[in-house]
């Protein structure tokens, strides 16, 4: 038998990590807040996010439309993304206002979660807290990631990153862990969740010539 207990993080490390994750969030919010929130309206910062916003609002407003009756372009596109945004919008009251707020803020939440996964992955690979913290800081200023996880950039990319991070962390955990350890058990679960999430989050695992074109 093995004992199960929660780790006790060092306060200084926890504070430094919180500061690094706050830097990640700051760079995603500071330059986009004004353009996204204009006169009480939520203006998403790209074209494709309005495709997802439309279907989330349709799910909220149309009783006959369910996840199982969505058009094939949606069910073979990013069904987990649409379903998750619909669920979150439903939990905060539904309606167009709720949908706009959820879609606007979710990329920032994803960026912070990605930063945490980068820290855990780097710490697992290098066993060096300083390197892991530096990796989060570099992620904060990485242009491509900062753009695709910025406030209001509600495309599918920000939704994809955590699943990729969970998959990578789980693989490293499985390689490094003992066969019967708790880490290995968590790695197996994480790998299943990460791969399953990626399949449902991007092209529904189907990216071939028979996939219907997405209408916008």
């Amino acid at each position: 038998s093995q004992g199960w207990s929660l780790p006790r993080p060092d306060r200084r490390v926890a504070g430094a990590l919180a500061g690094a994750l706050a830097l990640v969030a700051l760079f995603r919010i500071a330059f986009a807040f004004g353009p996204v929130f204009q006169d009480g309206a939520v203006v998403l910062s790209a074209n494709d996010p309005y495709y997802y916003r439309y279907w989330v609002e349709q799910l909220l407003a149309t009783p006959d439309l369910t996840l199982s009756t969505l058009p094939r372009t949606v069910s073979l596109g990013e069904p987990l993304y649409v379903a998750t945004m619909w669920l979150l919008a439903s939990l905060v009251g539904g309606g167009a206002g709720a949908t706009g707020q959820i879609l606007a803020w979710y990329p920032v939440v994803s960026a912070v979660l990605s930063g945490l996964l980068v820290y855990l992955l780097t710490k697992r690979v290098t066993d060096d807290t300083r390197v892991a913290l530096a990796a989060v800081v570099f992620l904060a200023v990485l242009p491509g990631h900062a753009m695709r996880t910025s406030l209001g950039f509600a495309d599918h990319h920000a939704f994809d990153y955590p699943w990729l991070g969970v998959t990578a962390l789980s693989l490293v955990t499985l390689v490094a862990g003992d066969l019967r350890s708790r880490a290995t058990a968590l790695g197996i679960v994480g790998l299943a969740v990460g791969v399953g999430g990626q399949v449902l989050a991007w092209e529904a695992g189907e990216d071939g010539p028979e996939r219907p074109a997405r209408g916008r």
Side-chain angles (χ1 to χ4, degrees):
S1 62
Q2 289 185 341
W4 292 75
S5 60
L6 294 175
R8 296 181 179 179
D10 184 281
R11 290 186 178 181
R12 292 180 300 175
V13 174
L17 177 58
L21 294 176
L23 186 66
V24 172
L26 177 64
F27 275 95
R28 273 69 181 168
I29 297 172
F31 304 104
F33 192 88
V36 171
F37 297 107
Q38 300 184 32
D39 299 325
V42 177
V43 181
L44 301 179
S45 56
N47 177 51
D48 285 7
Y50 283 95
Y51 171 82
Y52 305 111
R53 184 173 185 171
Y54 170 81
W55 284 113
V56 172
E57 290 178 351
Q58 289 298 305
L59 282 168
L60 291 169
T62 310
D64 295 335
L65 184 64
T66 64
L67 295 176
S68 60
T69 59
L70 283 169
R72 192 164 180 264
T73 53
V74 182
S75 61
L76 292 182
E78 293 76 44
L80 184 59
Y81 174 37
V82 174
T84 302
M85 296 302 110
W86 164 74
L87 177 60
L88 293 175
S90 300
L91 292 177
V92 297
T99 301
Q101 291 288 338
I102 291 295
L103 287 174
W105 285 102
Y106 110 82
V108 180
V109 176
S110 175
V112 173
L113 182 57
S114 298
L116 178 60
L117 290 168
V118 164
Y119 172 84
L120 295 174
L121 177 61
T122 309
K123 183 69 166 60
R124 187 76 181 180
V125 172
T126 66
D127 196 27
D128 192 319
T129 300
R130 295 168 300 176
V131 175
L133 290 171
V136 179
V137 173
F138 277 115
L139 181 70
V141 297
L142 192 66
H145 189 271
M147 183 270 289
R148 295 184 185 281
T149 57
S150 63
L151 182 71
F153 197 91
D155 210 334
H156 65 85
H157 307 90
F159 192 74
D160 298 334
Y161 290 139
W163 302 113
L164 180 61
V166 168
T167 303
L169 178 60
S170 300
L171 285 171
V172 170
T173 301
L174 287 173
V175 170
D178 182 76
L179 183 60
R180 297 184 179 181
S181 67
R182 177 180 60 179
T184 297
L186 293 175
I188 293 172
V189 173
L191 184 62
V193 172
V195 172
Q198 288 186 76
V199 168
L200 294 175
W202 172 238
E203 303 288 5
E206 180 179 329
D207 189 18
E210 296 182 359
R211 185 186 184 279
R214 177 188 301 168
R216 293 186 176 88

